[in-house]
Amino acid sequence: MCAIMLTKELGLIRIYPIPAEIRFPVWSEVSLTLDKGSDPRRESYRLQHFEITGKLQCPNTKREILNACIIKSGMDDPMDFQNQNRSSIFIVKPCWGDVEVTLSQKLPNVSPEDEECGWIVTQGKHWMKPYLKWVSDQGKDHTSHLGGREIYEGLRNNPTTPWDLMNNLQIMNPDYEHWMLMGNMKDKRNVWLCVHLHRLKKGKSGSIPLFSHPIIGSDTAWPYSDQKASNVEIVDGHPTLFTMKAISPIFSHGSINPAK
């Protein structure tokens, strides 16, 4: 398994591999000892030791951190931008109304070694594959596999009611904001999946924190190795070239089940 972490010094990083029994709940504050393993992706590190020290609770602070982590890719589609940079993680915030969830079904792929039919060892053995269809600010259509641990544990534990899990994501609820934490595959660098779908109920006006959380780095490229100076502004569905859009411990952002 792997987990995505956010650090002040390194920005967004990946911990890989980690044993399946180790869990980093989303928004956990974690103290880590890491080194570089065999994973060639720049953001990947190998876990030596960890201690969960707390958990972030305030939804307004979570929103501030997520918005600070939205990748600025200018006129380039964010996925294309990260492919060009040979990077492997980014966060994007799709617009409500441009998002749709689908479930692709197939016959279960269960081997004779499995203890019982329905026990999911890997995603490849699951008979449902959830996807999120979304459109980037630059107008490019994407279909991304929802591959987070939350998703597949939910499907495993509730095999007869998969849409209840999808409804819990609040994708079609206009009262919620969503952020997609995207990561690519180790051996297929241009194949991206949604590691975790963050969602928060929209806050009331005036609830934005007055001070930035200390996790947010001061470097203009943070939490990435490279960013554009600004994001493209979208007006009436079209990019506006001359309009500037400025945005001003370690947290677990999500974890992913092992792919086959």
Side-chain angles (χ1 to χ4, degrees):
M1 299 192 59
C2 74
I4 304 297
M5 301 283 185
L6 178 65
T7 74
K8 185 177 183 66
E9 296 81 8
L10 300 172
L12 288 163
I13 63 172
R14 174 186 297 98
I15 311 301
Y16 176 83
I18 56 175
E21 65 269 16
I22 294 180
R23 294 175 179 267
F24 294 109
V26 178
W27 294 112
S28 296
E29 298 174 358
V30 189
S31 174
L32 297 170
T33 302
L34 307 171
D35 66 3
K36 289 296 287 182
S38 59
D39 187 340
R41 291 172 292 186
R42 179 173 58 241
E43 299 92 341
S44 294
Y45 292 84
R46 184 171 55 189
L47 181 66
Q48 296 295 314
H49 177 266
F50 77 95
E51 179 184 0
I52 296 178
T53 60
K55 186 171 184 178
L56 185 64
Q57 300 288 352
C58 177
N60 290 330
T61 304
K62 293 177 182 179
R63 180 178 288 105
E64 178 199 22
I65 292 172
L66 287 167
N67 283 336
C69 290
I70 296 172
I71 189 165
K72 297 192 284 284
S73 58
M75 290 297 296
D76 296 324
D77 176 82
M79 195 175 294
D80 293 340
F81 182 73
Q82 289 300 76
N83 283 335
Q84 294 165 10
N85 291 334
R86 299 292 292 169
S87 298
S88 63
I89 304 171
F90 70 89
I91 289 179
V92 67
K93 185 178 182 180
C95 295
W96 184 85
D98 289 336
V99 181
E100 176 186 350
V101 66
T102 62
L103 277 171
S104 174
Q105 300 187 41
K106 63 179 181 180
L107 291 175
N109 179 18
V110 181
S111 68
E113 291 77 21
D114 289 318
E115 296 179 1
E116 61 184 50
C117 183
W119 174 255
I120 304 163
V121 180
T122 67
Q123 292 177 4
K125 291 188 176 183
H126 203 282
W127 52 94
M128 288 187 180
K129 200 168 185 179
Y131 290 92
L132 199 65
K133 295 182 178 180
W134 58 284
V135 183
S136 69
D137 283 349
Q138 292 76 13
K140 187 171 181 177
D141 294 324
H142 294 280
T143 300
S144 300
H145 177 204
L146 289 168
R149 184 171 192 158
E150 169 193 27
I151 301 296
Y152 276 89
E153 283 294 285
L155 291 175
R156 182 172 71 85
N157 293 321
N158 302 280
T160 61
T161 56
W163 279 108
D164 287 351
L165 174 66
M166 298 297 104
N167 290 334
N168 288 339
L169 297 177
Q170 305 291 341
I171 292 173
M172 304 308 295
N173 190 337
D175 294 330
Y176 277 77
E177 298 176 274
H178 293 85
W179 295 260
M180 298 174 65
L181 173 61
M182 304 293 293
N184 67 6
M185 298 182 66
K186 177 182 176 183
D187 300 318
K188 298 179 180 178
R189 299 289 293 270
N190 290 341
V191 177
W192 294 80
L193 64 157
C194 183
V195 177
H196 186 76
L197 183 65
H198 286 277
R199 64 267 189 196
L200 291 171
K201 196 165 186 178
K202 290 181 178 178
K204 296 180 180 179
S205 176
S207 60
I208 299 175
L210 296 176
F211 303 100
S212 294
H213 191 278
I215 192 69
I216 298 175
S218 57
D219 188 279
T220 55
W222 185 94
Y224 306 97
S225 61
D226 183 40
Q227 290 201 80
K228 298 289 188 180
S230 65
N231 271 340
V232 62
E233 184 80 14
I234 305 298
V235 177
D236 296 329
H238 300 286
T240 301
L241 290 174
F242 305 106
T243 303
M244 302 297 287
K245 181 181 180 182
I247 64 171
S248 60
I250 300 174
F251 291 107
S252 171
H253 264 283
S255 59
I256 180 174
N257 272 345
K260 184 178 180 182

